[in-house]
Amino acid sequence: MKIKPKSYKLHSGFTLVELLVVITIIVVLAALSFTMFPILRNSADKATSIRNIGQLQFANTTYAADHNGEYVKAYAFDDKGSTYVAWKDNSDFVAILKGEVKYLSNGKVDSSMPPNLLDPKAYRAKGQYYDNFTASYGYNSEGTIGNNGWGSPNSTCGFRMDQLAAPERTAAFFSATDWLPKYSGRFFWKDKPVEGYQKGKIAYRYNNKALVAYYDGHVGEVSQSDMKAIDNQNGVKNTFWDADGK
């Protein structure tokens, strides 16, 4: 009687070489993800901010259509010159932007904005006033009509539709650290770890460029070099700043 030899079933598995290859791939992918994450997040932040600043100008155009061609005032003082309403606190403008208006207990407009309407970099940094427009976006008030000086009774600061000689070249909103950025603050930006309110400054947050929403609705970018070029072409009287400038 013949005895059959025992058969052994081979179990499949990874060889040491295969394991090393897999581990190497995982390490490389992890390294790439850590390297690419800041780049991808910056791109996502920029896309969000472009959408937001474009939405601000869309609301501004809608506001003008409802107010006899007058864009929202950058600010408007009362007859005593003691109280003013900023563009970001204007109830009609806020209603267009947010879809509703709520009031605080003191009767003032609740102009707080949801995070998705703010600059993501400024919001995430949680600097001073990070949770409102003051640290995210600002409105161009240079060269606007009716400006009798800050604090003057009944003074206003805003453009009309029919005043714009070249709406595609006149800045409306900036990425900024002040709700009212100034021509004098065009070179004061410093990219700090913690962003927040910094008076009058235009913010060059994205690859050393500031986002600009123009009056015709398109969004562009400007660098500090671009600002210097504008300075060489009439400066604050340039169409970029002034609706009827040159």
Side-chain angles (χ1 to χ4, degrees):
M1 182 178 178
K2 292 183 178 180
I3 300 176
K4 293 182 179 180
K6 291 183 178 180
S7 60
Y8 296 91
K9 187 177 181 181
L10 296 177
H11 296 280
S12 61
F14 292 109
T15 66
L16 180 59
V17 173
E18 289 172 329
L19 285 173
L20 289 174
V21 169
V22 171
I23 292 172
T24 301
I25 292 173
I26 292 172
V27 171
V28 170
L29 290 175
L32 286 174
S33 65
F34 280 116
T35 302
M36 294 299 295
F37 178 73
I39 298 174
L40 293 174
R41 184 165 72 172
N42 185 70
S43 297
D45 288 345
K46 182 179 178 180
T48 298
S49 201
I50 288 173
R51 179 202 67 199
N52 289 347
I53 201 169
Q55 193 169 340
L56 282 172
Q57 182 50 26
F58 177 79
N60 198 17
T61 301
T62 303
Y63 179 96
D66 294 339
H67 290 81
N68 298 317
E70 292 189 355
Y71 291 104
V72 64
K73 300 292 189 292
Y75 60 81
F77 277 91
D78 63 11
D79 57 1
K80 296 180 180 179
S82 58
T83 303
Y84 70 92
V85 176
W87 63 269
K88 61 187 180 63
D89 302 314
N90 182 296
S91 60
D92 290 342
F93 183 76
V94 171
I96 296 169
L97 196 60
K98 294 174 63 177
E100 64 176 346
V101 175
K102 294 182 179 180
Y103 293 89
L104 303 173
S105 58
N106 59 7
K108 291 186 177 181
V109 173
D110 179 5
S111 58
S112 61
M113 295 290 162
N116 66 314
L117 288 178
L118 303 174
D119 188 291
K121 279 193 174 183
Y123 184 82
R124 195 165 53 244
K126 290 183 169 51
Q128 188 180 23
Y129 301 131
Y130 74 98
D131 54 351
N132 63 54
F133 278 134
T134 302
S136 286
Y137 307 111
Y139 191 31
N140 177 22
S141 65
E142 300 291 357
T144 50
I145 61 173
N147 185 357
N148 299 318
W150 182 264
S152 300
N154 295 316
S155 64
T156 60
C157 192
F159 287 134
R160 296 187 311 265
M161 278 184 164
D162 60 8
Q163 185 190 11
L164 292 165
E168 75 282 0
R169 291 192 288 123
T170 303
F173 294 94
F174 299 99
S175 54
T177 61
D178 190 351
W179 63 274
L180 203 63
K182 307 297 290 182
Y183 173 78
S184 58
R186 67 199 183 286
F187 297 133
F188 289 168
W189 165 255
K190 291 183 179 179
D191 189 9
K192 296 182 178 180
V194 178
E195 295 188 30
Y197 172 71
Q198 297 171 30
K199 190 173 182 180
K201 296 182 181 180
I202 292 173
Y204 299 86
R205 290 191 179 105
Y206 297 100
N207 301 319
N208 296 316
K209 292 183 179 181
L211 300 178
V212 182
Y214 293 86
Y215 273 94
D216 72 339
H218 87 277
V219 177
E221 299 175 303
V222 293
S223 65
Q224 293 194 17
S225 295
D226 294 327
M227 289 296 188
K228 290 178 182 177
I230 291 171
D231 282 351
N232 293 330
Q233 300 174 27
N234 297 323
V236 72
K237 295 298 183 181
N238 186 284
T239 307
F240 179 84
W241 296 100
D242 192 339
D244 50 8
K246 297 180 180 179

